[in-house]
Amino acid sequence: APGYNVQSALLGSGTKGTQFSGTSMAAPHIAGALALLKQRYPNLKATQLKAMLLNTAKPLKKRESFEKVSRQGAGRVQLDQAILAHGFIEPSTLSLGLVQLEQKKRVRKSLKVTNLLNKSQKWSIKLETNYPDAVQLVAPKIISVAARSSQTVFIDLEVIGSAVESGAEIDGWLVFSSS
């Protein structure tokens, strides 16, 4: 969400503006984005609308590496992509927990994939991360979901703590692409 040097109306100034940073500036943008999504999809629940917004966000990069999830969340909101989305995945965020550096940890997660189209849809899934040697994704190659329905999919993420330096924050994004 935008939250840095956002130009806004200055209260009580007539037509003057001001710049502020922080969650006070990001919150109105997200509220407006969710209101537009609700108008487009009036029957979806708040958590489903949130999933659409997060699922279609664009992870930001600094040079060739992704910014940390702790700095950017899901990434930059792309409302146009959320409105055009053919489905969504819940939960919209996952945590693998703490992994000791010398250990390997395998975590199984279930994801609910929802298809909003009137025809069946197929998705592929991949993992994008700054630490490809430290996190491995084991998932179905193709996920098929019937028209206007949902399907639960199980994925495994294996984290290899010894593959990164001490204190590293291992994060990434699951990217679903429709085919």
Side-chain angles (χ1 to χ4, degrees), residues 1-3 6-8 23-35 53 77 79:
V6 176
Q7 184 74 23
S8 184
T23 55
S24 296
M25 299 309 288
H29 286 272
I30 298 306
L34 287 169
L53 208 56
V77 170
L79 181 58

Side-chain angles (χ1 to χ4, degrees), residues 131-149:
Y131 298 98
D133 295 334
V135 186
Q136 304 295 317
L137 171 67
V138 179
K141 296 261 188 245
I142 298 291
I143 301 161
S144 297
V145 182
R148 297 249 174 232
S149 65

